[in-house]
Amino acid sequence: MQTPSFSSAKTEDSDSANVSAEAIVPHMKILVIEDDLEAAAYMTKAFREAGIIVDHASDGESGLFMGSENSYDVMVIDRMLPRRDGLSVISELRKRGVNAPVLILSALGQVDDRVTGLRAGGDDYLPKPYAFSELLARVEVLGRRKGTPEQDMVYRVGDLELDRLSHEVKRAGKDVLLQPREFRLLEYLMKNAGQVVTRTMLLENVWDYHFDPQTNVIDVHVSRLRSKIEKDFDKPLLKTIRGAGYMIKDEG
């Protein structure tokens, strides 16, 4: 059986897609960033047959957006992508604090190529051609790997808790429903709990673009976030530091 755009060579296992879901990390969710639509369709189908939830992006910019806005257990990223190359996507994800393990796919398989990929922030590197069974096994290993300590995956400030993996936010045990941008805003504030976060820092790390720091887009989102995490609670956590920015802190 030919592996669509994985390579021009035959796969080593023609029935590799029919893998028992029991072998996979339960409820694993991955992102595949691959511009070859035939190869992506093959991978997506095979992963799903193995019990994995899969999202797909066909170019680097779309993949960067999806990887930043959603939580994944593993990302499979092709190195050569339109609009933004794979290594650039990985580097930017790491800058944004996205710690999901990344497996790089590439036709460039020399030692120097692999080293470059790993240094860019990748966790594994699989040269083409490859068998799907090996790709699946590597994804499974990465999914089982504890990328960061649990305390780094769950941020807590007082009775407010944010789970970076499940994207759940609770205060005093009650669910707080946030929009994706509100979640990223709160995540960044809690990551820097007890420290002043300037408007420029928020624009660069939450919105990822530069414009007039006097714009009111931040004030609007902070106001909405504050109403959601402080409504019906006596103790305020999110403070405006006049002339400086914002700070989230538990005063005790």
Side-chain angles (χ1 to χ4, degrees):
M1 182 179 72
Q2 298 292 327
T3 310
S5 286
F6 286 19
S7 71
S8 60
K10 282 188 176 183
T11 59
E12 296 173 9
D13 49 344
S14 60
D15 61 347
S16 58
N18 298 318
V19 179
S20 170
E22 294 180 359
I24 308 304
V25 179
H27 310 300
M28 182 188 289
K29 182 178 181 181
I30 71 172
L31 173 64
V32 172
I33 309 178
E34 168 63 74
D35 63 314
D36 186 318
L37 298 183
E38 189 178 5
Y42 180 93
M43 275 193 283
T44 298
K45 180 176 183 294
F47 278 128
R48 286 174 178 164
E49 288 177 353
I52 297 176
I53 300 169
V54 186
D55 286 342
H56 170 242
S58 59
D59 63 78
E61 286 293 342
S62 299
L64 176 60
F65 175 79
M66 293 175 68
S68 300
E69 293 290 324
N70 302 285
S71 178
Y72 296 101
D73 297 299
V74 177
M75 298 186 196
V76 178
I77 303 179
D78 187 50
R79 182 164 176 170
M80 307 297 287
L81 294 168
R83 299 183 66 196
R84 189 172 192 140
D85 71 89
L87 298 191
S88 173
V89 171
I90 297 167
S91 296
E92 184 60 29
L93 286 170
R94 297 311 189 214
K95 289 179 183 177
R96 298 183 186 186
V98 178
N99 295 311
V102 171
L103 186 150
I104 301 171
L105 299 177
S106 179
L108 304 175
Q110 298 300 314
V111 172
D112 288 346
D113 299 317
R114 297 197 297 271
V115 169
T116 299
L118 296 173
R119 285 179 172 169
D123 297 273
D124 198 357
Y125 196 106
L126 184 59
K128 301 177 182 179
Y130 55 86
F132 179 78
S133 58
E134 181 179 3
L135 172 62
L136 183 63
R138 288 173 180 250
V139 167
E140 179 186 1
V141 169
L142 290 176
R144 293 186 185 280
R145 181 182 300 172
K146 295 182 179 179
T148 58
E150 187 275 338
Q151 61 266 29
D152 290 336
M153 301 309 296
V154 179
Y155 293 152
R156 295 182 179 87
V157 176
D159 57 358
L160 179 65
E161 180 178 297
L162 179 147
D163 190 315
R164 299 175 63 202
L165 287 179
S166 67
H167 273 218
E168 293 181 345
V169 177
K170 297 178 182 292
R171 182 158 188 194
K174 297 181 180 179
D175 291 329
V176 178
L177 301 180
L178 300 179
Q179 295 298 315
R181 186 72 66 182
E182 294 166 345
F183 182 90
R184 286 188 62 189
L185 174 58
L186 180 60
E187 180 182 28
Y188 189 74
L189 288 165
M190 294 183 73
K191 179 181 179 180
N192 296 280
Q195 303 176 41
V196 175
V197 175
T198 67
R199 299 166 65 88
T200 300
M201 291 167 65
L202 291 175
L203 286 174
E204 293 180 351
N205 292 280
V206 178
W207 277 265
D208 190 37
Y209 48 79
H210 304 266
F211 57 82
D212 182 4
Q214 299 306 313
T215 179
N216 71 345
V217 65
I218 293 177
D219 301 301
V220 171
H221 279 81
V222 168
S223 177
R224 290 175 181 170
L225 177 61
R226 181 180 279 123
S227 69
K228 292 185 177 183
I229 65 173
E230 296 187 349
K231 184 180 180 181
D232 301 326
F233 295 96
D234 295 330
K235 185 194 300 183
L237 296 175
L238 181 51
K239 301 168 177 59
T240 299
I241 310 300
R242 190 176 301 277
Y246 305 93
M247 178 191 296
I248 192 164
K249 183 179 182 180
D250 179 24
E251 297 291 357

